[in-house]
Amino acid sequence: MEITVKQMMQIEENGHQMGFFRKLMMENAGAATVRHIVERFSDLKSKKVIIFAGLGNNGGDAFVVARHLTGFGCQPTVILLGHPDKIKTEEARSNWKILEKMNSVNLVLASETSGLTNSAEIIIDGILGTGISGTIREPYSSAIDVINQSHAFKVAVDVPSGLDPDTGLVNDKCVKADITITFHKIKIGMPKGQDMCGKIFVEKIGIPPEAEIGVL
């Protein structure tokens, strides 16, 4: 079954109200994404992994991805597209604060992106997620260009940045992913945007089925 972004937000809110907090959803989403990367790449110790993160919960998912990757000997670089003070949600902020205490993760603020992706073998897109409308602003716009110019294997977290998950349309520009890991249920427009999503995997992140009551 396919769902809209609005339905997904309501399901998340219902789950949160039940006590299955957004922070847990974020943890499970990041962990599920890393499982796909680990299955695909046996030796992550030797891989150069770059993670692009926005200031919303898609970025929060990406912070969790970075932390889980270090457990496999990887030392990822996280490029935050903005200032840490502007991270929008409590759950994303708390996951960023953990990364700040980790020497195994290289943190970079957006002003320094040029050249960082040159030898990247894996790029994670955690820039915009489902919160996309209209023209993409800087520094997001340049980050999408940099990702698309890279020959790395590209993993989109939830939705490729720039794709409208309700329509499958690209309004401005979009990350062209090799695989997209989306959560709970596939968003209704994603099959139409398959050329941008690549292979789509739907991962459960622990949201109780009861959270769907009255929404679906």
Side-chain angles (χ1 to χ4, degrees):
M1 184 181 181
E2 298 169 357
I3 61 171
T4 65
V5 171
K6 193 174 172 190
Q7 285 172 322
M8 185 64 202
M9 286 168 76
Q10 188 59 56
I11 290 166
E12 286 177 356
E13 175 59 25
N14 292 351
H16 187 77
Q17 293 301 332
M18 289 172 73
F20 183 67
F21 301 122
R22 283 192 176 83
K23 197 169 184 178
L24 297 172
M25 299 177 205
M26 184 173 281
E27 185 65 28
N28 290 345
T33 302
V34 170
R35 275 202 304 277
H36 282 274
I37 297 167
V38 170
E39 281 166 17
R40 200 167 281 265
F41 297 95
S42 52
D43 181 23
L44 284 169
K45 284 190 185 71
S46 62
K47 294 281 183 285
K48 183 171 179 185
V49 181
I50 307 278
I51 299 170
F52 283 87
L55 299 170
N57 275 350
N58 197 230
D61 292 341
F63 303 154
V64 175
V65 168
R67 172 162 42 80
H68 278 266
L69 281 172
T70 62
F72 295 91
C74 181
Q75 293 202 322
T77 294
V78 176
I79 300 174
L80 184 69
L81 299 174
H83 195 276
D85 292 349
K86 298 274 169 40
I87 293 173
K88 289 172 186 158
T89 68
E90 187 280 322
E91 51 269 22
R93 270 195 302 277
S94 66
N95 276 302
W96 173 261
K97 288 195 172 102
I98 299 169
L99 296 187
E100 288 184 320
K101 299 181 181 82
M102 294 176 66
N103 293 329
S104 49
V105 181
N106 178 28
L107 301 181
V108 177
L109 301 186
S111 54
E112 313 155 40
T113 53
S114 61
L116 270 174
T117 56
N118 288 355
S119 56
E121 291 160 278
I122 304 166
I123 290 178
I124 316 289
D125 163 27
I127 302 175
L128 291 170
T130 55
I132 165 72
S133 59
T135 307
I136 294 169
R137 298 190 304 273
E138 292 296 355
Y140 303 123
S141 182
S142 295
I144 290 171
D145 292 339
V146 164
I147 292 169
N148 285 341
Q149 284 156 12
S150 169
H151 297 297
F153 185 84
K154 302 173 189 79
V155 181
V157 179
D158 203 13
V159 179
S161 293
L163 185 81
D164 183 326
D166 283 337
T167 64
L169 299 175
V170 176
N171 295 325
D172 181 10
K173 58 177 65 169
C174 181
V175 167
K176 191 167 175 28
D178 292 293
I179 63 171
T180 298
I181 318 298
T182 198
F183 308 117
H184 190 64
K185 283 187 162 63
I186 195 165
K187 312 312 170 291
I188 199 159
M190 289 175 74
K192 301 185 194 86
Q194 189 103 40
D195 54 332
M196 289 299 173
C197 295
K199 191 163 174 46
I200 300 168
F201 298 91
V202 183
E203 285 287 343
K204 297 295 178 191
I205 53 171
I207 296 172
E210 288 78 4
E212 295 179 347
I213 293 168
V215 181
L216 303 182

